């Protein structure tokens, strides 16, 4: 099972990957939205913002997020680490329910370019 530190490191790596992207992927990530990433097996949520193509983690809280973020991810720590390392395909994991992504319709349409 992935640790909180490994999950935070995976989010930082994902942020770096998104910031270095170009074209449609860069445009899709260039949102300014509140973001939460709930890690179910650790019962922890990373709370922050997606801004200028980067994920900025502002806080780590026990349990579910205190407020509903505009973009919400839910998964296990192992799945987060595997996705960021390229070992788990996000679209397949999302389609099978292993990963949950919730957002407004416009944001979902824009974020699908990241898939």
């Amino acid at each position: 099972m992935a640790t909180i530190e490994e999950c935070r490191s995976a989010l930082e790596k994902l942020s770096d990957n998104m910031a270095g992207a170009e074209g449609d992927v860069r445009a899709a990530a260039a949102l300014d939205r509140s973001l939460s990433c709930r890690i179910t097996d650790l019962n922890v949520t990373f709370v922050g913002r997606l801004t200028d193509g980067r994920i900025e983690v502002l806080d780590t809280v026990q349990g579910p997020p205190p407020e509903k973020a505009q973009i919400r991810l839910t998964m296990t720590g192992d799945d987060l680490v595997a996705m960021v390392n390229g070992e788990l395909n996000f679209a397949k994991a999302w389609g099978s329910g292993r990963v949950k992504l919730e957002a407004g319709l416009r944001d979902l349409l824009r974020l699908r370019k990241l898939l």
Side-chain angles (χ1 to χ4, degrees), residues 89-104:
N89 180 280
F90 180 83
K92 288 181 181 177
W94 185 33
S96 70
R98 282 176 71 176
V99 173
K100 292 184 177 113
L101 170 63
E102 300 173 272

Side-chain angles (χ1 to χ4, degrees), residues 44-59:
V44 69
T45 302
F46 295 96
V47 180
R49 290 203 70 79
L50 174 61
T51 184
D52 294 327
R54 296 197 66 89
I55 297 170
E56 180 183 1
V57 175
L58 302 172
D59 199 6

Side-chain angles (χ1 to χ4, degrees), residues 25-61:
V25 173
R26 177 75 176 158
L31 297 169
D32 184 14
R33 302 286 188 274
S34 60
L35 175 77
S36 67
C37 182
R38 178 145 166 70
I39 308 300
T40 55
D41 56 334
L42 297 175
N43 193 31
V44 69
T45 302
F46 295 96
V47 180
R49 290 203 70 79
L50 174 61
T51 184
D52 294 327
R54 296 197 66 89
I55 297 170
E56 180 183 1
V57 175
L58 302 172
D59 199 6
T60 305
V61 297

Side-chain angles (χ1 to χ4, degrees), residues 19 25-26 39 49 53 62 72-73 76 80 90 103 114-115:
V25 173
R26 177 75 176 158
I39 308 300
R49 290 203 70 79
Q62 287 294 316
R72 300 167 303 282
L73 289 163
T76 66
L80 173 62
F90 180 83
L114 297 174
L115 308 178

